Amino acid sequence: DYGRFFGSLAKWVVEIDRADKVPEMVTRAFHLARSGRPGPVVVALPEDMLMEEAALHLPPPIPRSLPHPDPVQIQALVSRLNAAARPVVLVGAGVQYARAREALVRFAERFQVPVITSWRRNDAFPNDHPHYVGNLSFGSSPAQELLREADLVVVIGDRLSEMTTNHYTLPRPAQPMIQVDIDPAVIGRNLAPALAVVSDARLALTAAPVTLTPSARAIQ
């Protein structure tokens, strides 16, 4: 039973029972693997089907559709960011998947906010940038202390895993948190956000600067 065996590991599992269905199923498999948060799919090919002959016509690739942020939610995000005294942005793989590194740099500079990268995602933000604080992992660090003391945490493209959150102790339950992610299933998985934005990371970052006057907050 491939569905039960691989269901918890893959985004989609399918067993092809007819040779003429191969192009359709494989095209869909590649589309699902690349859509949203990238991940594995499983295509099972039974031995009897592999012995069949069929005239195959490959369909064109299915275009990717990136979720755009709700303008109202972006307005709320920027309003909360401008009102915060000690905000911090925590970014993960979603920024890398969206090729949003430069958009993140512009966002951090415009709103004068420090940036922390999640576990093993050090290169999601330039490490030599003055707004970069560090990477999260087990043990005490400047990045961890800054996150602990923040009055607003903006999480962009990160699943808040055990390593990033130091055994799920950060962000603290009482801390206001905004979570931006392309996958609705990721939002609120480990900690409920005060504001949730389902969006491609780059589209969310580039939408934010046009909504309100940038903060005059200075990076310490």
Side-chain angles (χ1 to χ4, degrees), residues 116 136 139-150 170 175:
I116 298 172
L136 290 176
S140 181
S141 68
Q144 208 174 84
E145 291 305 312
L146 186 68
L147 179 60
R148 193 181 305 276
E149 297 301 321
L170 295 171
Q175 279 181 294

Side-chain angles (χ1 to χ4, degrees), residues 30-109:
F30 274 103
H31 174 66
L32 291 175
R34 296 172 59 245
S35 297
R37 181 176 286 271
V41 299
V42 175
V43 179
L45 306 175
E47 185 176 359
D48 58 344
M49 188 278 294
L50 292 174
M51 304 302 293
E52 294 180 12
E53 292 186 4
L56 303 182
H57 302 282
L58 290 175
I62 302 172
R64 292 180 64 196
S65 178
L66 298 176
H68 287 65
D70 183 336
V72 174
Q73 292 179 328
I74 292 297
Q75 183 85 10
L77 184 156
V78 178
S79 295
R80 288 171 180 258
L81 188 57
N82 277 329
R86 301 183 307 280
V88 64
V89 173
L90 169 60
V91 300
V95 170
Q96 296 166 303
Y97 293 146
R99 295 180 173 86
R101 202 166 183 254
E102 293 305 315
L104 177 59
V105 170
R106 292 192 296 271
F107 180 91
E109 292 173 347

Side-chain angles (χ1 to χ4, degrees), residues 72-74 76-78 80 177-180 187 192-197:
V72 174
Q73 292 179 328
I74 292 297
L77 184 156
V78 178
R80 288 171 180 258
M177 183 185 75
I178 297 172
Q179 191 168 12
V180 180
I187 292 178
L195 175 65
V197 181

Side-chain angles (χ1 to χ4, degrees), residues 90-92 116-122 134-141 143-145 147-148 158-171 190:
L90 169 60
V91 300
I116 298 172
T117 53
S118 63
W119 171 249
R120 290 184 174 175
R121 297 297 175 183
N122 305 56
N135 181 254
L136 290 176
S137 60
F138 286 148
S140 181
S141 68
Q144 208 174 84
E145 291 305 312
L147 179 60
R148 193 181 305 276
D158 189 73
R159 292 182 289 186
L160 299 175
S161 68
E162 181 180 11
M163 297 293 284
T164 295
T165 61
N166 194 20
H167 298 295
Y168 303 110
T169 61
L170 295 171
N190 297 323

Side-chain angles (χ1 to χ4, degrees), residues 5-11 39-40 42:
F5 190 84
F6 292 106
S8 63
L9 306 175
K11 294 180 67 176
V42 175

